């Protein structure tokens, strides 16, 4: 029972990380010492079904609880009222995660494949911020259609991929793609409908949540298998690709941000929160992530 409760709390932390743009659920898993176990049970679910259920169920419970609680806070309070400070705090969290990933490549020579991987993924993330649907308040417009169902399945798979990869924020990628606010607003609408026991309103949210949820479920398992393969066979190149993603994320967030009503107070408090976010992320990752030599 003690381990069950601890895993629920771990799930709460991972869930919060997946709600906050810029914070990596994968990095939180690494910092709490459960990343390798999760990848193992996800990629060998049938063989380790009992172990998988014992680990995944409480973590899933914790994630659902945290998403239900924190989704509303970020979409209705922090982003609308304190956009600069909130975004700079997230940027601090992103930058604080760089040493965690860099520790895995430290001491190894940098070759052409690593350089290409870094530049390619850096360009992809920054490019998405220009060509994506945007992370504004309205988010992507979703109505029921086959095309939108396929889109949501794809976004779910992408979100799943970035939940599994340490150092990459699924919510940040969804923000770049323009679906962050859509998903968060729909989750909030579902919670409000659930509290009021408004079944028709709950069913309306399923148009978004069901295909997105299926994409996440399928993507987590499929991408975990892929991550296991590439980390085993192309570890250094993979980590440099992740570093490229992390390094590009602050630029992408600033590109998407609307710079309005920004004064000296907002800038100063934002810089302070950037430093706070950096320190928090750095502390969460230190001493628990082995370097490239296993230390």
């Amino acid at each position: 029972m003690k381990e069950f409760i601890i895993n629920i709390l771990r799930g709460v932390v991972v869930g919060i990380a997946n709600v906050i743009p810029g914070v990596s659920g994968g990095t939180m898993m690494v910092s709490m010492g459960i990343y390798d176990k999760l990848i193992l049970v996800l990629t060998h679910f049938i063989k380790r079904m009992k172990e998988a259920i014992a680990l995944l169920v409480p973590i899933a419970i914790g994630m659902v609880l945290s998403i239900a609680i924190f989704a509303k806070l970020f979409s209705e309070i922090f982003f609308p009222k304190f956009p600069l400070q909130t975004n700079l705090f997230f940027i601090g969290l992103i930058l604080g995660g760089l040493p965690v990933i860099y520790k895995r490549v430290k001491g190894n020579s940098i070759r052409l494949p690593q350089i290409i991987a870094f530049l390619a993924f850096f360009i992809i993330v920054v490019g998405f911020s220009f060509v994506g649907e945007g992370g504004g308040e309205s988010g992507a417009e979703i109505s029921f259609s086959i095309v939108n169902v396929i889109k949501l399945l794809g976004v779910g798979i992408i979100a799943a991929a970035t939940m599994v990869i340490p150092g990459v924020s699924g919510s940040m990628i969804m923000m770049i793609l323009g679906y962050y606010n859509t998903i968060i607003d729909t989750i909030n609408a579902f919670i409000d409908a659930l509290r009021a026991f408004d079944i028709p309103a709950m069913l309306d949210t399923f148009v978004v949540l069901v295909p997105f949820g299926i994409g996440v479920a399928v993507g987590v398992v499929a991408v975990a298998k892929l991550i296991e393969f590439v980390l085993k066979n192309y570890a250094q190149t993979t980590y440099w690709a992740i570093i490229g993603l992390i390094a590009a994320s602050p630029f992408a967030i600033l590109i998407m941000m609307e710079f309005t009503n920004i004064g000296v107070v907002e800038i100063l408090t934002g810089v302070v929160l950037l430093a706070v976010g950096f320190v928090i992320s750095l502390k969460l990752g230190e001493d628990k992530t082995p370097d490239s030599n296993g230390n």
Side-chain angles (χ1 to χ4, degrees):
M1 179 59 70
K2 181 180 179 181
E3 186 67 18
F4 187 85
I5 294 172
I6 290 173
N7 282 333
I8 288 178
L9 295 175
R10 287 169 173 164
V12 168
V13 174
V14 174
I16 293 171
N18 285 320
V19 168
I20 301 174
V23 185
S24 167
T27 298
M28 297 302 104
M29 293 175 197
V30 171
S31 70
M32 291 182 291
I34 60 172
Y35 184 77
D36 292 341
K37 292 179 183 177
L38 279 171
I39 293 295
L40 183 65
V41 298
L42 286 170
T43 54
H44 304 281
F45 184 83
I46 302 299
K47 292 181 180 179
R48 298 174 175 267
M49 186 175 293
K50 186 176 180 180
E51 182 183 351
I53 292 172
L55 181 63
L56 295 175
V57 168
I59 289 176
I61 291 171
M63 289 179 67
V64 170
L65 288 174
S66 63
I67 290 171
I69 295 169
F70 288 96
K72 204 174 189 70
L73 286 175
F74 282 97
S75 66
E76 297 187 4
I77 298 177
F78 295 121
F79 274 116
K81 295 184 178 180
F82 310 102
L84 180 65
Q85 295 94 323
T86 304
N87 279 294
L88 287 178
F89 177 68
F90 293 150
I91 288 172
L93 288 166
I94 295 169
L95 297 177
L98 273 173
V100 174
I101 304 301
Y102 181 71
K103 191 177 180 182
R104 294 179 179 265
V105 300
K106 185 179 179 181
N108 290 288
S109 59
I110 303 174
R111 300 179 180 178
L112 184 60
Q114 285 86 52
I115 296 172
I116 292 173
F118 173 88
L119 292 175
F121 282 87
F122 185 97
I123 292 169
I124 286 171
V125 171
V126 173
F128 267 134
S129 66
F130 286 107
V131 303
E133 294 181 65
E137 276 185 39
S138 60
E141 289 295 328
I142 295 296
S143 57
F144 182 74
S145 70
I146 297 298
V147 172
N148 283 333
V149 167
I150 294 172
K151 279 185 178 181
L152 286 164
L153 282 168
V155 171
I157 292 171
I158 292 170
T162 51
M163 288 175 194
V164 174
I165 301 172
V168 183
S169 166
S171 48
M172 184 276 296
I173 297 297
M174 285 197 295
M175 177 179 284
I176 291 171
L177 295 174
Y179 283 86
Y180 177 78
N181 286 315
T182 298
I183 300 299
I184 292 296
D185 290 345
T186 305
I187 291 172
N188 290 336
F190 174 79
I191 293 168
D192 291 340
L194 183 62
R195 287 172 180 166
F197 202 66
D198 186 344
I199 294 177
M202 289 170 61
L203 293 175
D204 286 342
T205 65
F206 288 176
V207 172
V208 173
L209 296 182
V210 170
F212 176 76
I214 292 172
V216 169
V218 172
V220 163
V221 177
V223 174
K225 197 73 177 178
L226 176 62
I227 294 302
E228 183 185 46
F229 173 80
V230 296
L231 286 176
K232 183 178 180 180
N233 295 281
Y234 310 101
Q236 293 301 299
T237 302
T238 302
Y239 284 123
W240 276 108
I242 292 172
I243 292 171
L245 287 165
I246 299 172
S249 298
F251 293 98
I253 290 175
L254 291 175
I255 288 168
M256 292 184 298
M257 182 181 167
E258 295 180 5
F259 291 90
T260 56
N261 300 321
I262 295 176
V264 175
V265 174
E266 286 77 13
I267 293 172
L268 291 176
T269 53
V271 170
V272 170
L273 286 170
L274 184 148
V276 170
F278 182 90
V279 172
I280 290 173
S281 184
L282 191 64
K283 291 296 182 183
L284 283 172
E286 70 180 7
D287 298 328
K288 294 184 180 179
T289 303
D291 60 21
S292 58
N293 299 311
N295 299 316

